[in-house]
Each structure stands twice: as structure tokens, then as C-alpha cells.
Amino acid sequence: MVFDCFGARKKVVIAMAHIGALPGSPLYDADGGVQKLIDGVMSDVEKLQAGGVDAIMFGNENDRPYVFKGSPEGIAAMTAIVQAIKPSLKVPFGVNYLWDPLASVAIGAVTGASFVREIFTGLFASDMGLWQPDCASAARLRATLGRKDMKMLFNINAEFAHSLDQRPIALRARSAVFSSLADAILVSGPITGQPANQSDLRDVCDVIKDVPVFANTGVNIDNVRDILGMAQGVVIGTHFKVDGNTWNAVDAGRVKRFMDVVETLRCDGTAS
């Protein structure tokens, strides 16, 4: 079992619902406003749920260039958008405010999310500068807000960044579970939409047995069999988009074809 919210299912597909650029970010459409953002992500959520995904994760991937500390207007808008979509959700949901662990926990806690994803541990040289997340404050905020049930998914090798921690990735994963109470470990590729190194994913899966391991980027219809043969789940965004472009709307046909493959894998035991 991955998490209680997924019942007895052992392998899960978490689909990204990418919100348009939020207020305060350079690409924000002030004329369309927050209502346009709600309408856009609602359309994607409807297609993802119709295609049979197991969960939805809301993210602000369009807020480029990214920041380490969310703005008040961005956090407020994302909270309002998730709350507006929530009555239409038929599956568990999570949130990720890039790249702010505290904002992610805060939004997730008040909206009733089942999980949050972020870079919670490590030290990175990144496109945004030196990256030093604060896991302890995020975990304490979760407790203060009374949401110890909300799972924290640790992305341990950040996109757009290089880890300055030279320990092998499997050791960093074990350490995150032991010292920082990770509820799940996520293994990513170097950039959104690019697959994780399968040897890295295998190494992490070999040593992490107490919490689930997910492939976090670059999962597609061609590699999902191999990935779900190792990991307990996948997070998928880019492959579900029109033409496989991260910034496009969700393509309902791509979602359905992918989930049909996953259901076949579940039936034959590869992804039970």
C-alpha cells in the first residue's frame, strides 16, 4: 500500500495539474485574472480524471523564473484556485508551490490536500542560485497546522540544479527518510519532462523499503513498464500534454492511452 488515500493500490499515477502563471509572476495574465486560471486548470482536471488517473497534484510550473520563497499574492491565488477546483475532484489531491516548502505545506494543509511535494532536503547549485531548503520548518508547520496526516513527498534530486552533496543518491535517500521523516522519496531527471536516470531510480528502490519511491519526471508510455517494475508510483505531467509539451493543455487521448497501458500492467502484475 502506498498511502491510505489510495486504498489497497500498490502502484499509483499522480497527474500534474499545471496552473497558469500566478499573480506576481512575469507571465501572469492580469486581464484574464484568477478566474481564467481556474477555468484552465479545471479543464485539465476534467480530462485527467476522465482518463483514470489515481490522483491530481496542483503545481505552479508556469511561474518562471522560479523563486525560493512564494509571494503573498501567489500563495493566496493558488490557495483560492485549489479551493475552487476541490468540489470537482473525485480522486485524492496534492499541491506543490515551486520551490517553497513552507508555502507548499501551508496551501496543502488549509485546502485539505492528502500530500505535498517539494525539495525538502539537500544543498544545490541551481538556475535560481544557491538552494538550501528548510525541511525542519516545513515539518514543524505541518504539525502546527494539525496536518500530520498530510504526506510530505521528498524530491531528492532537484530539476534545474546540481546537488552539492556528493553522497550517492541512495544514501541521500536513506538519510532523508531517517533524519528528516520523508513520507516518500521522489527521483527526478535534470529538467521537467526529462526521465530520471534509471540506475539512480533502481539504486534508491533497492535501499528504500519503509516508504514509497516515485519516478518524478519524464515518465511516458514507452518507459512506464520498466519504471513501475521498480517504483511504487509515478508523477506525470509533460507526457499528458498536447504534443508532449509541458506548457500545453492536457490531451485527453494521451491520458487515456497511458492509463490503459498502466491498467494492463496492473492486470499482469507488473503494476499491481
Side-chain angles (χ1 to χ4, degrees):
M1 185 173 66
V2 179
F3 297 133
D4 290 345
C5 63
F6 293 115
R9 180 156 286 165
K10 297 179 182 178
K11 306 276 185 168
V12 299
V13 175
I14 299 174
M16 293 303 305
H18 292 151
I19 301 168
L22 296 169
S25 65
L27 299 178
Y28 175 58
D29 179 0
D31 292 333
V34 172
Q35 187 58 53
K36 181 178 179 180
L37 298 177
I38 293 171
D39 294 342
V41 77
M42 178 71 83
S43 176
D44 281 354
V45 165
E46 289 172 350
K47 295 171 189 175
L48 292 169
Q49 291 191 133
V53 302
D54 300 313
I56 301 287
M57 179 151 56
F58 296 96
N60 62 327
E61 268 78 2
N62 285 284
D63 281 355
R64 297 170 287 163
Y66 300 120
V67 297
F68 294 138
K69 183 175 176 57
S71 67
E73 60 269 34
I75 294 170
M78 186 165 175
T79 303
I81 292 163
V82 174
Q83 286 288 74
I85 302 296
K86 185 177 174 181
S88 301
L89 293 176
K90 303 172 184 177
V91 296
F93 77 93
V95 300
N96 181 196
Y97 192 108
L98 302 172
W99 292 97
D100 187 337
L102 291 173
S104 298
V105 168
I107 296 169
V110 300
T111 58
S114 297
F115 54 89
V116 296
R117 176 189 68 176
E118 245 312 320
I119 302 294
F120 289 106
T121 55
L123 178 65
F124 303 86
S126 78
D127 292 352
M128 297 79 72
L130 188 63
W131 192 343
Q132 188 173 357
D134 184 357
C135 178
S137 293
R140 283 161 173 76
L141 179 61
R142 178 179 62 167
T144 299
L145 294 174
R147 287 301 315 276
K148 291 183 178 181
D149 62 305
M150 184 176 70
K151 306 300 184 183
M152 290 171 58
L153 282 54
F154 283 47
N155 184 5
I156 60 167
N157 55 329
E159 300 106 289
F160 318 110
H162 172 72
S163 176
L164 299 178
D165 184 341
Q166 295 304 304
R167 294 176 298 173
I169 190 170
L171 180 55
R172 286 189 279 127
R174 288 181 60 194
S175 184
V177 175
F178 183 89
S179 71
S180 299
L181 308 178
D183 294 309
I185 296 294
L186 278 56
V187 182
S188 302
I191 295 177
T192 298
Q194 293 191 12
N197 185 308
Q198 287 209 14
S199 64
D200 286 345
L201 180 61
R202 186 177 297 107
D203 288 347
V204 172
C205 289
D206 284 346
V207 301
I208 300 299
K209 304 299 181 184
D210 296 333
V211 303
V213 176
F214 290 77
N216 190 52
T217 63
V219 181
N220 58 55
I221 201 167
D222 297 318
N223 63 20
V224 66
R225 174 183 289 273
D226 291 338
I227 289 172
L228 286 182
M230 295 181 281
Q232 284 71 55
V234 299
V235 179
I236 179 166
T238 295
H239 184 68
F240 285 162
K241 301 300 188 70
V242 173
D243 298 328
N245 185 323
T246 303
W247 315 117
N248 287 343
V250 168
D251 182 330
R254 291 175 75 98
V255 179
K256 181 64 165 58
R257 288 190 294 273
F258 180 89
M259 291 308 300
D260 284 347
V261 169
V262 170
E263 287 305 324
T264 299
L265 297 177
R266 286 169 172 163
C267 289
D268 71 16
T270 303
S272 59

